[in-house]
Amino acid sequence: MTEQTAQTAQTAQTEQAAQTEQAEQTASAGSTGIRLVVLDMAGTTVADGGLVEQAFTVAVRRMGAEPETMIDYVRATMGESKISVFRHLFGDEEKAQQANTAFETAYGELVTAGHIAPVPGAREAIERLRAEGRTVVLTTGFARVTQDAILAALGWQDLVDFTLCPADAGGRGRPYPDMVLAAFLRSGAVDGVQRIAVAGDTSYDMLSGVRSGARVVAGVLTGAHDKGQLEANGATHVLGSIAELPDLLARVEA
C-alpha cells in the first residue's frame, strides 16, 4: 500500500467515524426528546367563553336544583369527567346520568350555535408540534359526542393524531392519569413516560400529568385556574397560552 493510499484510507475512516458519532448523537437526542404531547381542549386549546358553567346551569335547573349552591364545586373540579362531578353533586347514579345528559345536550347546543372558538395560536402550535415529529393527542372531560361536536365546529377533525375522552380510557377522567397513559399506550410514539408533555388549564390537568410521570406538565392561563393553583398541583411550567408550548419544548430539549 502506497503512502498516498494509506492517507486516503485513514481520511475515509476518520470521516466515517465522524459520521457515525453524529448519527449516534442524533439518535440519542431523538430517543430522549419529547415526542408525545397530550393537550386538554376547553380552556387550553379551545376558548369556550364560560360555556361549561352556562351548560351546567341549564342542566341543574332542568333537574329542579339551584346551580348557585353547586357552582363553586364545579369551578374547583374543572377538568374532571363531568359524570363524576354530577355523581358527587347528586349522590344518585340515575340523577347523575340525567344531569350529565342534560349538560351534554346544553353544551352541544351552545357549540352548534357557534359559541366556541380556538384559543389564539392553538392551531398553529399544534401544526408546528406535529411538523417537528411529535404525536399530538387532544383530551377532554366531555363525552365523545360533545368532543366530536367541538372538533366539527372548529374544523379540527384531522388536526391531531387522535382524540380521547374518559370512556376511551376505561371511564376515569382527570385527575386520574388514565387518558395520558391511554395516549402513551395507543400511540406507541415513545418508549417511556418521560418523553411525554401534558398541557392544560386546570388543577386536575396538572395532577393527571404529574401522576402519569410526564416530563413536562405545563399549565396555561387561558382557562379556569390561575398560576398559583396550577403550580400547587404540580405544574412544571406555567405559560400564557398554548401558543408558547412549542418554544418551551425546544428549550427543555436544548
Side-chain angles (χ1 to χ4, degrees), residues 143-184:
R144 167 58 62 184
V145 63
T146 304
Q147 185 178 39
D148 286 347
I150 295 170
L151 295 170
L154 298 176
W156 279 13
Q157 295 96 324
D158 300 315
L159 180 62
V160 299
D161 294 272
F162 59 91
T163 63
L164 294 172
C165 66
D168 299 320
R172 295 197 310 182
R174 310 179 191 100
Y176 297 101
D178 300 19
M179 285 195 288
V180 179
L181 296 177
F184 169 68

PDB file of all heavy atoms in Angstrom, residues 143-184:
ATOM      1  N   ALA A 143     -68.140  13.889  27.152  1.00  0.00           N
ATOM      2  CA  ALA A 143     -68.455  12.639  26.473  1.00  0.00           C
ATOM      3  C   ALA A 143     -68.011  12.743  25.016  1.00  0.00           C
ATOM      4  O   ALA A 143     -67.820  13.845  24.482  1.00  0.00           O
ATOM      5  CB  ALA A 143     -69.958  12.362  26.553  1.00  0.00           C
ATOM      6  N   ARG A 144     -67.879  11.592  24.366  1.00  0.00           N
ATOM      7  CA  ARG A 144     -67.417  11.561  22.978  1.00  0.00           C
ATOM      8  C   ARG A 144     -68.277  12.400  22.047  1.00  0.00           C
ATOM      9  O   ARG A 144     -67.775  13.120  21.184  1.00  0.00           O
ATOM     10  CB  ARG A 144     -67.373  10.099  22.506  1.00  0.00           C
ATOM     11  CG  ARG A 144     -67.213   9.891  21.001  1.00  0.00           C
ATOM     12  CD  ARG A 144     -65.966  10.533  20.435  1.00  0.00           C
ATOM     13  NE  ARG A 144     -64.743   9.986  21.008  1.00  0.00           N
ATOM     14  CZ  ARG A 144     -63.522  10.457  20.725  1.00  0.00           C
ATOM     15  NH1 ARG A 144     -63.388  11.503  19.916  1.00  0.00           N
ATOM     16  NH2 ARG A 144     -62.456   9.922  21.270  1.00  0.00           N
ATOM     17  N   VAL A 145     -69.599  12.348  22.221  1.00  0.00           N
ATOM     18  CA  VAL A 145     -70.486  13.088  21.320  1.00  0.00           C
ATOM     19  C   VAL A 145     -70.220  14.587  21.396  1.00  0.00           C
ATOM     20  O   VAL A 145     -70.241  15.292  20.375  1.00  0.00           O
ATOM     21  CB  VAL A 145     -71.973  12.772  21.623  1.00  0.00           C
ATOM     22  CG1 VAL A 145     -72.363  13.234  23.033  1.00  0.00           C
ATOM     23  CG2 VAL A 145     -72.878  13.400  20.581  1.00  0.00           C
ATOM     24  N   THR A 146     -69.937  15.101  22.589  1.00  0.00           N
ATOM     25  CA  THR A 146     -69.653  16.527  22.748  1.00  0.00           C
ATOM     26  C   THR A 146     -68.272  16.857  22.200  1.00  0.00           C
ATOM     27  O   THR A 146     -68.082  17.887  21.543  1.00  0.00           O
ATOM     28  CB  THR A 146     -69.755  16.930  24.227  1.00  0.00           C
ATOM     29  OG1 THR A 146     -71.048  16.579  24.720  1.00  0.00           O
ATOM     30  CG2 THR A 146     -69.550  18.423  24.399  1.00  0.00           C
ATOM     31  N   GLN A 147     -67.308  15.997  22.463  1.00  0.00           N
ATOM     32  CA  GLN A 147     -65.966  16.208  21.931  1.00  0.00           C
ATOM     33  C   GLN A 147     -66.006  16.278  20.403  1.00  0.00           C
ATOM     34  O   GLN A 147     -65.390  17.170  19.789  1.00  0.00           O
ATOM     35  CB  GLN A 147     -65.035  15.087  22.380  1.00  0.00           C
ATOM     36  CG  GLN A 147     -63.585  15.289  21.955  1.00  0.00           C
ATOM     37  CD  GLN A 147     -62.686  14.181  22.467  1.00  0.00           C
ATOM     38  OE1 GLN A 147     -63.074  13.012  22.472  1.00  0.00           O
ATOM     39  NE2 GLN A 147     -61.486  14.531  22.893  1.00  0.00           N
ATOM     40  N   ASP A 148     -66.729  15.361  19.789  1.00  0.00           N
ATOM     41  CA  ASP A 148     -66.819  15.348  18.329  1.00  0.00           C
ATOM     42  C   ASP A 148     -67.519  16.595  17.802  1.00  0.00           C
ATOM     43  O   ASP A 148     -67.157  17.121  16.732  1.00  0.00           O
ATOM     44  CB  ASP A 148     -67.560  14.096  17.859  1.00  0.00           C
ATOM     45  CG  ASP A 148     -66.706  12.839  17.984  1.00  0.00           C
ATOM     46  OD1 ASP A 148     -65.484  12.965  18.186  1.00  0.00           O
ATOM     47  OD2 ASP A 148     -67.280  11.735  17.889  1.00  0.00           O
ATOM     48  N   ALA A 149     -68.520  17.091  18.543  1.00  0.00           N
ATOM     49  CA  ALA A 149     -69.222  18.307  18.124  1.00  0.00           C
ATOM     50  C   ALA A 149     -68.272  19.506  18.139  1.00  0.00           C
ATOM     51  O   ALA A 149     -68.313  20.361  17.240  1.00  0.00           O
ATOM     52  CB  ALA A 149     -70.419  18.560  19.035  1.00  0.00           C
ATOM     53  N   ILE A 150     -67.427  19.580  19.163  1.00  0.00           N
ATOM     54  CA  ILE A 150     -66.443  20.667  19.252  1.00  0.00           C
ATOM     55  C   ILE A 150     -65.463  20.588  18.081  1.00  0.00           C
ATOM     56  O   ILE A 150     -65.174  21.596  17.411  1.00  0.00           O
ATOM     57  CB  ILE A 150     -65.694  20.614  20.589  1.00  0.00           C
ATOM     58  CG1 ILE A 150     -66.644  20.877  21.752  1.00  0.00           C
ATOM     59  CG2 ILE A 150     -64.546  21.628  20.608  1.00  0.00           C
ATOM     60  CD1 ILE A 150     -66.036  20.601  23.116  1.00  0.00           C
ATOM     61  N   LEU A 151     -64.951  19.409  17.824  1.00  0.00           N
ATOM     62  CA  LEU A 151     -63.985  19.228  16.735  1.00  0.00           C
ATOM     63  C   LEU A 151     -64.605  19.608  15.392  1.00  0.00           C
ATOM     64  O   LEU A 151     -63.969  20.258  14.560  1.00  0.00           O
ATOM     65  CB  LEU A 151     -63.496  17.780  16.707  1.00  0.00           C
ATOM     66  CG  LEU A 151     -62.686  17.331  17.926  1.00  0.00           C
ATOM     67  CD1 LEU A 151     -62.479  15.822  17.890  1.00  0.00           C
ATOM     68  CD2 LEU A 151     -61.339  18.051  17.995  1.00  0.00           C
ATOM     69  N   ALA A 152     -65.863  19.204  15.189  1.00  0.00           N
ATOM     70  CA  ALA A 152     -66.544  19.523  13.937  1.00  0.00           C
ATOM     71  C   ALA A 152     -66.776  21.026  13.794  1.00  0.00           C
ATOM     72  O   ALA A 152     -66.592  21.608  12.712  1.00  0.00           O
ATOM     73  CB  ALA A 152     -67.872  18.772  13.855  1.00  0.00           C
ATOM     74  N   ALA A 153     -67.172  21.678  14.897  1.00  0.00           N
ATOM     75  CA  ALA A 153     -67.435  23.112  14.851  1.00  0.00           C
ATOM     76  C   ALA A 153     -66.182  23.908  14.509  1.00  0.00           C
ATOM     77  O   ALA A 153     -66.246  24.941  13.840  1.00  0.00           O
ATOM     78  CB  ALA A 153     -68.003  23.573  16.197  1.00  0.00           C
ATOM     79  N   LEU A 154     -65.030  23.406  14.934  1.00  0.00           N
ATOM     80  CA  LEU A 154     -63.763  24.096  14.688  1.00  0.00           C
ATOM     81  C   LEU A 154     -63.085  23.634  13.403  1.00  0.00           C
ATOM     82  O   LEU A 154     -62.082  24.234  12.988  1.00  0.00           O
ATOM     83  CB  LEU A 154     -62.811  23.871  15.863  1.00  0.00           C
ATOM     84  CG  LEU A 154     -63.263  24.410  17.223  1.00  0.00           C
ATOM     85  CD1 LEU A 154     -62.252  24.032  18.303  1.00  0.00           C
ATOM     86  CD2 LEU A 154     -63.450  25.915  17.166  1.00  0.00           C
ATOM     87  N   GLY A 155     -63.579  22.561  12.809  1.00  0.00           N
ATOM     88  CA  GLY A 155     -62.917  22.000  11.639  1.00  0.00           C
ATOM     89  C   GLY A 155     -61.610  21.327  11.992  1.00  0.00           C
ATOM     90  O   GLY A 155     -60.660  21.300  11.213  1.00  0.00           O
ATOM     91  N   TRP A 156     -61.576  20.708  13.177  1.00  0.00           N
ATOM     92  CA  TRP A 156     -60.344  20.115  13.707  1.00  0.00           C
ATOM     93  C   TRP A 156     -60.343  18.587  13.628  1.00  0.00           C
ATOM     94  O   TRP A 156     -59.514  17.937  14.268  1.00  0.00           O
ATOM     95  CB  TRP A 156     -60.173  20.515  15.173  1.00  0.00           C
ATOM     96  CG  TRP A 156     -59.596  21.892  15.368  1.00  0.00           C
ATOM     97  CD1 TRP A 156     -59.456  22.866  14.431  1.00  0.00           C
ATOM     98  CD2 TRP A 156     -59.086  22.440  16.592  1.00  0.00           C
ATOM     99  NE1 TRP A 156     -58.903  23.991  14.994  1.00  0.00           N
ATOM    100  CE2 TRP A 156     -58.664  23.752  16.317  1.00  0.00           C
ATOM    101  CE3 TRP A 156     -58.974  21.930  17.887  1.00  0.00           C
ATOM    102  CZ2 TRP A 156     -58.109  24.571  17.300  1.00  0.00           C
ATOM    103  CZ3 TRP A 156     -58.421  22.758  18.872  1.00  0.00           C
ATOM    104  CH2 TRP A 156     -57.985  24.059  18.578  1.00  0.00           C
ATOM    105  N   GLN A 157     -61.206  17.997  12.832  1.00  0.00           N
ATOM    106  CA  GLN A 157     -61.300  16.529  12.829  1.00  0.00           C
ATOM    107  C   GLN A 157     -59.970  15.863  12.482  1.00  0.00           C
ATOM    108  O   GLN A 157     -59.682  14.769  12.970  1.00  0.00           O
ATOM    109  CB  GLN A 157     -62.379  16.064  11.847  1.00  0.00           C
ATOM    110  CG  GLN A 157     -63.793  16.494  12.217  1.00  0.00           C
ATOM    111  CD  GLN A 157     -64.227  17.768  11.517  1.00  0.00           C
ATOM    112  OE1 GLN A 157     -63.422  18.675  11.303  1.00  0.00           O
ATOM    113  NE2 GLN A 157     -65.490  17.824  11.140  1.00  0.00           N
ATOM    114  N   ASP A 158     -59.176  16.502  11.633  1.00  0.00           N
ATOM    115  CA  ASP A 158     -57.910  15.912  11.195  1.00  0.00           C
ATOM    116  C   ASP A 158     -56.692  16.682  11.702  1.00  0.00           C
ATOM    117  O   ASP A 158     -55.585  16.496  11.193  1.00  0.00           O
ATOM    118  CB  ASP A 158     -57.864  15.845   9.659  1.00  0.00           C
ATOM    119  CG  ASP A 158     -59.000  15.005   9.090  1.00  0.00           C
ATOM    120  OD1 ASP A 158     -59.245  13.913   9.643  1.00  0.00           O
ATOM    121  OD2 ASP A 158     -59.633  15.439   8.111  1.00  0.00           O
ATOM    122  N   LEU A 159     -56.886  17.527  12.702  1.00  0.00           N
ATOM    123  CA  LEU A 159     -55.792  18.381  13.159  1.00  0.00           C
ATOM    124  C   LEU A 159     -54.745  17.612  13.947  1.00  0.00           C
ATOM    125  O   LEU A 159     -53.549  17.894  13.849  1.00  0.00           O
ATOM    126  CB  LEU A 159     -56.346  19.519  14.020  1.00  0.00           C
ATOM    127  CG  LEU A 159     -55.317  20.516  14.572  1.00  0.00           C
ATOM    128  CD1 LEU A 159     -54.588  21.232  13.434  1.00  0.00           C
ATOM    129  CD2 LEU A 159     -55.995  21.536  15.489  1.00  0.00           C
ATOM    130  N   VAL A 160     -55.167  16.634  14.755  1.00  0.00           N
ATOM    131  CA  VAL A 160     -54.243  15.899  15.620  1.00  0.00           C
ATOM    132  C   VAL A 160     -54.220  14.424  15.235  1.00  0.00           C
ATOM    133  O   VAL A 160     -55.013  13.963  14.411  1.00  0.00           O
ATOM    134  CB  VAL A 160     -54.619  16.052  17.112  1.00  0.00           C
ATOM    135  CG1 VAL A 160     -54.550  17.518  17.526  1.00  0.00           C
ATOM    136  CG2 VAL A 160     -56.005  15.472  17.390  1.00  0.00           C
ATOM    137  N   ASP A 161     -53.321  13.689  15.861  1.00  0.00           N
ATOM    138  CA  ASP A 161     -53.197  12.266  15.551  1.00  0.00           C
ATOM    139  C   ASP A 161     -54.428  11.483  15.984  1.00  0.00           C
ATOM    140  O   ASP A 161     -54.931  10.640  15.254  1.00  0.00           O
ATOM    141  CB  ASP A 161     -51.934  11.707  16.198  1.00  0.00           C
ATOM    142  CG  ASP A 161     -50.682  12.305  15.577  1.00  0.00           C
ATOM    143  OD1 ASP A 161     -50.206  11.736  14.580  1.00  0.00           O
ATOM    144  OD2 ASP A 161     -50.205  13.344  16.057  1.00  0.00           O
ATOM    145  N   PHE A 162     -54.925  11.752  17.189  1.00  0.00           N
ATOM    146  CA  PHE A 162     -56.195  11.189  17.632  1.00  0.00           C
ATOM    147  C   PHE A 162     -56.672  11.923  18.871  1.00  0.00           C
ATOM    148  O   PHE A 162     -55.945  12.753  19.439  1.00  0.00           O
ATOM    149  CB  PHE A 162     -56.122   9.666  17.866  1.00  0.00           C
ATOM    150  CG  PHE A 162     -55.111   9.211  18.890  1.00  0.00           C
ATOM    151  CD1 PHE A 162     -55.451   9.057  20.222  1.00  0.00           C
ATOM    152  CD2 PHE A 162     -53.809   8.897  18.497  1.00  0.00           C
ATOM    153  CE1 PHE A 162     -54.529   8.615  21.156  1.00  0.00           C
ATOM    154  CE2 PHE A 162     -52.881   8.455  19.424  1.00  0.00           C
ATOM    155  CZ  PHE A 162     -53.236   8.311  20.756  1.00  0.00           C
ATOM    156  N   THR A 163     -57.908  11.643  19.283  1.00  0.00           N
ATOM    157  CA  THR A 163     -58.506  12.310  20.442  1.00  0.00           C
ATOM    158  C   THR A 163     -59.003  11.254  21.425  1.00  0.00           C
ATOM    159  O   THR A 163     -59.328  10.130  21.042  1.00  0.00           O
ATOM    160  CB  THR A 163     -59.687  13.210  20.018  1.00  0.00           C
ATOM    161  OG1 THR A 163     -60.726  12.400  19.448  1.00  0.00           O
ATOM    162  CG2 THR A 163     -59.245  14.241  18.992  1.00  0.00           C
ATOM    163  N   LEU A 164     -59.088  11.658  22.699  1.00  0.00           N
ATOM    164  CA  LEU A 164     -59.535  10.746  23.753  1.00  0.00           C
ATOM    165  C   LEU A 164     -60.521  11.445  24.681  1.00  0.00           C
ATOM    166  O   LEU A 164     -60.354  12.626  24.999  1.00  0.00           O
ATOM    167  CB  LEU A 164     -58.347  10.251  24.580  1.00  0.00           C
ATOM    168  CG  LEU A 164     -57.308   9.354  23.891  1.00  0.00           C
ATOM    169  CD1 LEU A 164     -56.115   9.148  24.818  1.00  0.00           C
ATOM    170  CD2 LEU A 164     -57.916   8.026  23.488  1.00  0.00           C
ATOM    171  N   CYS A 165     -61.515  10.695  25.130  1.00  0.00           N
ATOM    172  CA  CYS A 165     -62.403  11.137  26.200  1.00  0.00           C
ATOM    173  C   CYS A 165     -62.327  10.080  27.301  1.00  0.00           C
ATOM    174  O   CYS A 165     -61.727   9.020  27.104  1.00  0.00           O
ATOM    175  CB  CYS A 165     -63.831  11.314  25.683  1.00  0.00           C
ATOM    176  SG  CYS A 165     -64.632   9.779  25.170  1.00  0.00           S
ATOM    177  N   PRO A 166     -62.894  10.335  28.480  1.00  0.00           N
ATOM    178  CA  PRO A 166     -62.772   9.364  29.572  1.00  0.00           C
ATOM    179  C   PRO A 166     -63.191   7.946  29.201  1.00  0.00           C
ATOM    180  O   PRO A 166     -62.562   6.973  29.626  1.00  0.00           O
ATOM    181  CB  PRO A 166     -63.666   9.963  30.659  1.00  0.00           C
ATOM    182  CG  PRO A 166     -63.554  11.438  30.441  1.00  0.00           C
ATOM    183  CD  PRO A 166     -63.535  11.597  28.949  1.00  0.00           C
ATOM    184  N   ALA A 167     -64.237   7.803  28.392  1.00  0.00           N
ATOM    185  CA  ALA A 167     -64.704   6.468  28.020  1.00  0.00           C
ATOM    186  C   ALA A 167     -63.648   5.686  27.241  1.00  0.00           C
ATOM    187  O   ALA A 167     -63.621   4.453  27.276  1.00  0.00           O
ATOM    188  CB  ALA A 167     -65.980   6.571  27.186  1.00  0.00           C
ATOM    189  N   ASP A 168     -62.762   6.403  26.544  1.00  0.00           N
ATOM    190  CA  ASP A 168     -61.702   5.742  25.779  1.00  0.00           C
ATOM    191  C   ASP A 168     -60.588   5.219  26.668  1.00  0.00           C
ATOM    192  O   ASP A 168     -59.714   4.473  26.213  1.00  0.00           O
ATOM    193  CB  ASP A 168     -61.089   6.714  24.763  1.00  0.00           C
ATOM    194  CG  ASP A 168     -62.110   7.221  23.762  1.00  0.00           C
ATOM    195  OD1 ASP A 168     -62.946   6.414  23.318  1.00  0.00           O
ATOM    196  OD2 ASP A 168     -62.075   8.424  23.431  1.00  0.00           O
ATOM    197  N   ALA A 169     -60.598   5.637  27.926  1.00  0.00           N
ATOM    198  CA  ALA A 169     -59.528   5.259  28.856  1.00  0.00           C
ATOM    199  C   ALA A 169     -60.076   4.483  30.046  1.00  0.00           C
ATOM    200  O   ALA A 169     -59.548   4.564  31.152  1.00  0.00           O
ATOM    201  CB  ALA A 169     -58.777   6.505  29.329  1.00  0.00           C
ATOM    202  N   GLY A 170     -61.155   3.774  29.832  1.00  0.00           N
ATOM    203  CA  GLY A 170     -61.719   2.945  30.893  1.00  0.00           C
ATOM    204  C   GLY A 170     -62.757   3.635  31.748  1.00  0.00           C
ATOM    205  O   GLY A 170     -63.255   3.048  32.713  1.00  0.00           O
ATOM    206  N   GLY A 171     -63.084   4.889  31.427  1.00  0.00           N
ATOM    207  CA  GLY A 171     -64.150   5.585  32.136  1.00  0.00           C
ATOM    208  C   GLY A 171     -63.713   6.602  33.169  1.00  0.00           C
ATOM    209  O   GLY A 171     -64.519   7.413  33.621  1.00  0.00           O
ATOM    210  N   ARG A 172     -62.428   6.560  33.561  1.00  0.00           N
ATOM    211  CA  ARG A 172     -61.964   7.527  34.560  1.00  0.00           C
ATOM    212  C   ARG A 172     -61.324   8.724  33.859  1.00  0.00           C
ATOM    213  O   ARG A 172     -60.417   8.579  33.060  1.00  0.00           O
ATOM    214  CB  ARG A 172     -60.939   6.888  35.507  1.00  0.00           C
ATOM    215  CG  ARG A 172     -61.503   5.778  36.350  1.00  0.00           C
ATOM    216  CD  ARG A 172     -60.604   5.460  37.542  1.00  0.00           C
ATOM    217  NE  ARG A 172     -59.206   5.263  37.218  1.00  0.00           N
ATOM    218  CZ  ARG A 172     -58.273   4.944  38.100  1.00  0.00           C
ATOM    219  NH1 ARG A 172     -58.608   4.795  39.382  1.00  0.00           N
ATOM    220  NH2 ARG A 172     -57.019   4.771  37.731  1.00  0.00           N
ATOM    221  N   GLY A 173     -61.808   9.897  34.200  1.00  0.00           N
ATOM    222  CA  GLY A 173     -61.207  11.115  33.668  1.00  0.00           C
ATOM    223  C   GLY A 173     -60.165  11.656  34.634  1.00  0.00           C
ATOM    224  O   GLY A 173     -59.673  10.963  35.514  1.00  0.00           O
ATOM    225  N   ARG A 174     -59.833  12.919  34.475  1.00  0.00           N
ATOM    226  CA  ARG A 174     -58.903  13.556  35.388  1.00  0.00           C
ATOM    227  C   ARG A 174     -59.544  13.705  36.779  1.00  0.00           C
ATOM    228  O   ARG A 174     -60.758  13.777  36.870  1.00  0.00           O
ATOM    229  CB  ARG A 174     -58.525  14.947  34.840  1.00  0.00           C
ATOM    230  CG  ARG A 174     -58.083  14.915  33.377  1.00  0.00           C
ATOM    231  CD  ARG A 174     -57.761  16.328  32.911  1.00  0.00           C
ATOM    232  NE  ARG A 174     -57.587  16.369  31.470  1.00  0.00           N
ATOM    233  CZ  ARG A 174     -58.512  16.772  30.607  1.00  0.00           C
ATOM    234  NH1 ARG A 174     -59.691  17.196  31.045  1.00  0.00           N
ATOM    235  NH2 ARG A 174     -58.279  16.773  29.322  1.00  0.00           N
ATOM    236  N   PRO A 175     -58.794  13.718  37.846  1.00  0.00           N
ATOM    237  CA  PRO A 175     -57.335  13.849  37.928  1.00  0.00           C
ATOM    238  C   PRO A 175     -56.564  12.548  37.775  1.00  0.00           C
ATOM    239  O   PRO A 175     -55.355  12.528  37.976  1.00  0.00           O
ATOM    240  CB  PRO A 175     -57.133  14.420  39.335  1.00  0.00           C
ATOM    241  CG  PRO A 175     -58.242  13.796  40.137  1.00  0.00           C
ATOM    242  CD  PRO A 175     -59.432  13.777  39.192  1.00  0.00           C
ATOM    243  N   TYR A 176     -57.242  11.467  37.441  1.00  0.00           N
ATOM    244  CA  TYR A 176     -56.519  10.216  37.181  1.00  0.00           C
ATOM    245  C   TYR A 176     -55.644  10.376  35.940  1.00  0.00           C
ATOM    246  O   TYR A 176     -55.974  11.156  35.030  1.00  0.00           O
ATOM    247  CB  TYR A 176     -57.506   9.065  36.987  1.00  0.00           C
ATOM    248  CG  TYR A 176     -58.347   8.768  38.202  1.00  0.00           C
ATOM    249  CD1 TYR A 176     -59.667   9.212  38.281  1.00  0.00           C
ATOM    250  CD2 TYR A 176     -57.819   8.071  39.284  1.00  0.00           C
ATOM    251  CE1 TYR A 176     -60.445   8.957  39.404  1.00  0.00           C
ATOM    252  CE2 TYR A 176     -58.590   7.804  40.407  1.00  0.00           C
ATOM    253  CZ  TYR A 176     -59.903   8.249  40.466  1.00  0.00           C
ATOM    254  OH  TYR A 176     -60.670   7.999  41.573  1.00  0.00           O
ATOM    255  N   PRO A 177     -54.568   9.629  35.843  1.00  0.00           N
ATOM    256  CA  PRO A 177     -53.664   9.766  34.688  1.00  0.00           C
ATOM    257  C   PRO A 177     -54.079   8.921  33.493  1.00  0.00           C
ATOM    258  O   PRO A 177     -53.346   8.819  32.509  1.00  0.00           O
ATOM    259  CB  PRO A 177     -52.333   9.256  35.259  1.00  0.00           C
ATOM    260  CG  PRO A 177     -52.746   8.194  36.237  1.00  0.00           C
ATOM    261  CD  PRO A 177     -54.015   8.721  36.870  1.00  0.00           C
ATOM    262  N   ASP A 178     -55.272   8.330  33.547  1.00  0.00           N
ATOM    263  CA  ASP A 178     -55.656   7.296  32.589  1.00  0.00           C
ATOM    264  C   ASP A 178     -55.619   7.760  31.133  1.00  0.00           C
ATOM    265  O   ASP A 178     -55.181   7.015  30.242  1.00  0.00           O
ATOM    266  CB  ASP A 178     -57.039   6.759  32.930  1.00  0.00           C
ATOM    267  CG  ASP A 178     -57.099   6.140  34.321  1.00  0.00           C
ATOM    268  OD1 ASP A 178     -56.216   6.435  35.151  1.00  0.00           O
ATOM    269  OD2 ASP A 178     -58.030   5.363  34.593  1.00  0.00           O
ATOM    270  N   MET A 179     -56.104   8.972  30.840  1.00  0.00           N
ATOM    271  CA  MET A 179     -56.124   9.416  29.449  1.00  0.00           C
ATOM    272  C   MET A 179     -54.717   9.648  28.916  1.00  0.00           C
ATOM    273  O   MET A 179     -54.425   9.352  27.749  1.00  0.00           O
ATOM    274  CB  MET A 179     -56.999  10.660  29.286  1.00  0.00           C
ATOM    275  CG  MET A 179     -58.484  10.359  29.344  1.00  0.00           C
ATOM    276  SD  MET A 179     -59.530  11.711  28.743  1.00  0.00           S
ATOM    277  CE  MET A 179     -59.328  12.890  30.084  1.00  0.00           C
ATOM    278  N   VAL A 180     -53.842  10.178  29.760  1.00  0.00           N
ATOM    279  CA  VAL A 180     -52.456  10.370  29.334  1.00  0.00           C
ATOM    280  C   VAL A 180     -51.803   9.018  29.055  1.00  0.00           C
ATOM    281  O   VAL A 180     -51.123   8.826  28.034  1.00  0.00           O
ATOM    282  CB  VAL A 180     -51.642  11.144  30.393  1.00  0.00           C
ATOM    283  CG1 VAL A 180     -50.188  11.314  29.935  1.00  0.00           C
ATOM    284  CG2 VAL A 180     -52.268  12.500  30.680  1.00  0.00           C
ATOM    285  N   LEU A 181     -52.029   8.072  29.945  1.00  0.00           N
ATOM    286  CA  LEU A 181     -51.434   6.748  29.767  1.00  0.00           C
ATOM    287  C   LEU A 181     -52.074   6.002  28.595  1.00  0.00           C
ATOM    288  O   LEU A 181     -51.399   5.222  27.906  1.00  0.00           O
ATOM    289  CB  LEU A 181     -51.557   5.948  31.059  1.00  0.00           C
ATOM    290  CG  LEU A 181     -50.790   6.536  32.242  1.00  0.00           C
ATOM    291  CD1 LEU A 181     -51.036   5.718  33.504  1.00  0.00           C
ATOM    292  CD2 LEU A 181     -49.294   6.615  31.946  1.00  0.00           C
ATOM    293  N   ALA A 182     -53.356   6.249  28.346  1.00  0.00           N
ATOM    294  CA  ALA A 182     -54.006   5.652  27.177  1.00  0.00           C
ATOM    295  C   ALA A 182     -53.381   6.200  25.898  1.00  0.00           C
ATOM    296  O   ALA A 182     -53.184   5.462  24.922  1.00  0.00           O
ATOM    297  CB  ALA A 182     -55.505   5.925  27.199  1.00  0.00           C
ATOM    298  N   ALA A 183     -53.065   7.505  25.906  1.00  0.00           N
ATOM    299  CA  ALA A 183     -52.389   8.107  24.749  1.00  0.00           C
ATOM    300  C   ALA A 183     -51.014   7.472  24.548  1.00  0.00           C
ATOM    301  O   ALA A 183     -50.595   7.187  23.424  1.00  0.00           O
ATOM    302  CB  ALA A 183     -52.265   9.608  24.944  1.00  0.00           C
ATOM    303  N   PHE A 184     -50.313   7.247  25.646  1.00  0.00           N
ATOM    304  CA  PHE A 184     -48.997   6.601  25.622  1.00  0.00           C
ATOM    305  C   PHE A 184     -49.089   5.206  25.007  1.00  0.00           C
ATOM    306  O   PHE A 184     -48.321   4.834  24.108  1.00  0.00           O
ATOM    307  CB  PHE A 184     -48.457   6.555  27.054  1.00  0.00           C
ATOM    308  CG  PHE A 184     -47.243   5.695  27.255  1.00  0.00           C
ATOM    309  CD1 PHE A 184     -46.019   6.046  26.713  1.00  0.00           C
ATOM    310  CD2 PHE A 184     -47.330   4.533  28.007  1.00  0.00           C
ATOM    311  CE1 PHE A 184     -44.898   5.251  26.908  1.00  0.00           C
ATOM    312  CE2 PHE A 184     -46.219   3.730  28.213  1.00  0.00           C
ATOM    313  CZ  PHE A 184     -44.995   4.091  27.658  1.00  0.00           C
TER     314      PHE A 184
END
